[in-house]
Amino acid sequence: MTAAPASAAVKQTCGTYICVATAYQGTRYVQDITVFTRDGLPGTLRAFAADYRDSRANDDRHVFTVNRELGQPGTGSLAVCGGLDRSGRVIENHCVLIP
């Protein structure tokens, strides 16, 4: 008999210019990070958490596949973040806290 896959929790929050959503299991296993602009205009979207860094240029929405445990257990909440750059400037960084 095989066990059913663990279900992921999803948490999303928005800043002024971007929204960041993450699917996670437990307090450290991050499945993905979705970053999208609220105005629908493209920019350089970034995703980062603990030792994970990735980016995708010139998009208004992108899902960053992580599929790994991040951070050190017992260090408090994990901040899963996204960022938006336009014209070489950081417009906004915004984070979701995983309890």
Side-chain angles (χ1 to χ4, degrees):
M1 181 186 252
T2 59
S7 62
V10 176
K11 192 169 182 183
Q12 176 179 309
T13 184
C14 295
T16 304
Y17 298 97
I18 62 172
C19 293
V20 179
T22 186
Y24 63 95
Q25 295 177 15
T27 59
R28 296 283 166 222
Y29 192 85
V30 176
Q31 290 180 294
D32 64 52
I33 304 168
T34 301
V35 181
F36 58 96
T37 63
R38 295 183 72 179
D39 59 12
L41 298 174
T44 300
L45 298 177
R46 295 176 283 109
F48 49 99
D51 58 351
Y52 174 81
R53 302 276 184 275
D54 203 356
S55 65
R56 166 120 179 158
N58 200 28
D59 208 347
D60 66 340
R61 178 183 190 90
H62 190 74
V63 178
F64 300 88
T65 303
V66 181
N67 282 329
R68 65 185 173 113
E69 190 169 13
L70 300 174
Q72 298 296 319
T75 58
S77 296
L78 176 66
V80 175
C81 305
L84 170 65
D85 300 347
R86 286 187 176 145
S87 301
R89 293 183 26 227
V90 174
I91 302 300
E92 182 176 30
N93 289 320
H94 193 75
C95 299
V96 173
L97 291 179
I98 298 174

